[in-house]
Amino acid sequence: MNLTDGAFAPLAAGGTGPSPYGSSARVSDARSPALPPDHTQAILETTKEVGAVLKASGRPFALVGSVAAYAHGIPVRLQHDTDFALMREDSDVVTESLREHGVQIVEPPEDWLVKARAGGEEIDLIFSLAGRPVTAELLARAQTLPVDSVHMPVLAPTDLMTCRLLALSEHHCDFGPLLPMARGLRERVEWERVREVVVGAPMGEAFLYLLELLDVLPRRHGS
């Protein structure tokens, strides 16, 4: 989902970008290039500002999505938004705190997140990752990492990979962004736990098999 210009911009018309955790769709401007411009620094500024507000709220949360991958050292180009996971029961306190700091809150038709906008950048406050409620246990496993100088909880590598794989479907199955993430996080992910969680999820299992073929993961007996 830039605060660098010092003012919060009003919500622009249109939807939000495809989320790796749900099914919202972006309404693209016909004049826009196929690949959105690099918003990396603007998104990082928004992430830092929102992260500071969430920390001050005292409610547990964790950075997720592409910005979380960036915080873990994966060289990703940030283009769409910044995502934070929190428990549904904390949403009212958190959204009110953000409003008090000038962030515009939008209630989307989906019931698994709240959308916001600040300084021209979009923010997703997510209560459900890949159809699974955000829990205190999930947030407790988050790691405190610097995000462009501001420390905040970031979803742990194993949970980050698991959520991304569970969100894959026949309608959203892009392995491209996941490959550099898997390579970069390889030594920090509990892959056996990931395998256990994605059993029965065809796209997730296919991605793990692809990692074996690419020698990112050791081949299992019989593969």
Side-chain angles (χ1 to χ4, degrees):
M1 294 157 290
N2 181 344
L3 307 178
T4 51
D5 53 13
F8 296 118
L11 185 69
T16 61
S19 168
Y21 304 116
S23 57
S24 2
R26 179 180 296 274
V27 179
S28 300
D29 187 327
R31 297 167 297 176
S32 299
L35 192 64
D38 187 349
H39 286 189
T40 297
Q41 194 55 47
I43 289 175
L44 289 176
E45 291 299 324
T46 298
T47 301
K48 291 188 294 183
E49 296 285 347
V50 173
V53 175
L54 294 181
K55 286 167 67 176
S57 76
R59 304 304 169 107
F61 73 95
L63 183 65
V64 297
S66 297
V67 189
Y70 180 96
H72 280 295
I74 307 305
V76 296
R77 183 186 186 198
L78 304 179
Q79 297 170 308
H80 295 304
D81 56 18
T82 185
D83 304 314
F84 294 90
L86 65 153
M87 293 184 290
R88 186 182 296 275
E89 55 264 36
D90 292 332
S91 62
D92 289 343
V93 171
V94 169
T95 54
E96 183 56 34
S97 182
L98 289 171
R99 280 194 183 98
E100 291 173 358
H101 285 79
V103 177
Q104 184 177 6
I105 303 297
V106 181
E107 300 291 344
E110 299 90 349
D111 63 359
W112 51 272
L113 83 168
V114 167
K115 291 190 168 293
R117 192 170 180 87
E121 300 300 330
E122 295 175 7
I123 305 150
D124 283 356
L125 306 173
I126 301 172
F127 319 133
S128 177
L129 295 171
R132 298 182 173 205
V134 174
T135 63
E137 293 76 18
L138 176 75
L139 299 180
R141 291 195 296 268
Q143 302 173 356
T144 299
L145 299 173
V147 180
D148 198 33
S149 78
V150 174
H151 286 74
M152 66 183 72
V154 179
L155 203 67
T158 300
D159 292 320
L160 185 63
M161 185 60 60
T162 298
C163 290
R164 294 298 294 265
L165 294 187
L166 288 177
L168 295 173
S169 70
E170 293 183 17
H171 303 290
H172 179 74
C173 187
D174 185 358
F175 289 170
L178 292 177
L179 283 171
M181 184 184 299
R183 286 191 169 104
L185 295 176
R186 175 170 51 186
E187 304 300 329
R188 289 172 278 170
V189 171
E190 299 173 43
W191 290 105
E192 284 308 310
R193 188 171 138 218
V194 174
R195 291 184 190 278
E196 292 173 4
V197 175
V198 303
V199 167
M203 304 306 169
E205 291 191 11
F207 182 75
L208 292 176
Y209 180 56
L210 176 62
L211 293 183
E212 293 180 10
L213 295 179
L214 294 174
D215 294 324
V216 176
L217 296 181
R219 301 198 182 194
R220 308 187 88 192
H221 180 70
S223 296

